[in-house]
Amino acid sequence: MRQTFSNSDNDFGLALECPHCGSHYLHQKKVEVFQRNEDDRSGLHVSVDEKVTTDTNIADNPSPRRQGLTLHFSCEGCPTISSFSIYQHHGSTYMKFTS
Ligand SMILES: [Zn+2]
């Protein structure tokens, strides 16, 4: 699934577009942060939505070896909940929609 951005001429930067309908009216509903040392099987998982929860379950970490974060969006243009991840792998930082 490819990420696209709307054109922008202001200081806010580029608006992320919904991978399902192209709308840029995405609303952040939940943020998940995964912290671990390289290749550790457990680490710290922080989830923020209406509340904050923490645990050591990093099964949903988008990085196979290091740190990652995932933003979950609702969309004004369609009923889909999208997940966008930023994560480290082999010394580079990647970003992509995972759903
Ligand atoms: Zn949409």
Side-chain angles (χ1 to χ4, degrees):
M1 198 170 301
R2 187 164 182 221
Q3 64 277 357
T4 60
F5 302 90
S6 67
N7 291 328
S8 174
D9 292 328
N10 60 47
D11 289 336
F12 289 112
L14 302 174
L16 191 61
E17 295 179 341
C18 175
H20 302 280
C21 75
S23 171
H24 64 269
Y25 292 105
L26 295 175
H27 301 273
Q28 294 183 35
K29 306 305 284 186
K30 180 178 170 183
V31 177
E32 293 184 277
V33 178
F34 301 89
Q35 176 64 39
R36 71 166 160 197
N37 293 320
E38 184 176 356
D39 292 332
D40 280 356
R41 294 196 179 276
S42 66
L44 178 63
H45 170 220
V46 179
S47 179
V48 181
D49 49 13
E50 300 295 320
K51 60 188 180 317
V52 177
T53 58
T54 61
D55 58 47
T56 58
N57 182 355
I58 58 170
D60 291 331
N61 185 353
S63 173
R65 298 182 62 192
R66 297 186 184 226
Q67 298 84 5
L69 67 92
T70 301
L71 307 170
H72 302 272
F73 296 100
S74 65
C75 178
E76 288 189 19
C78 71
T80 306
I81 300 294
S82 301
S83 298
F84 184 78
S85 294
I86 300 172
Y87 54 98
Q88 187 176 4
H89 186 61
H90 290 307
S92 297
T93 298
Y94 295 88
M95 61 182 175
K96 70 175 182 179
F97 276 103
T98 53
S99 67

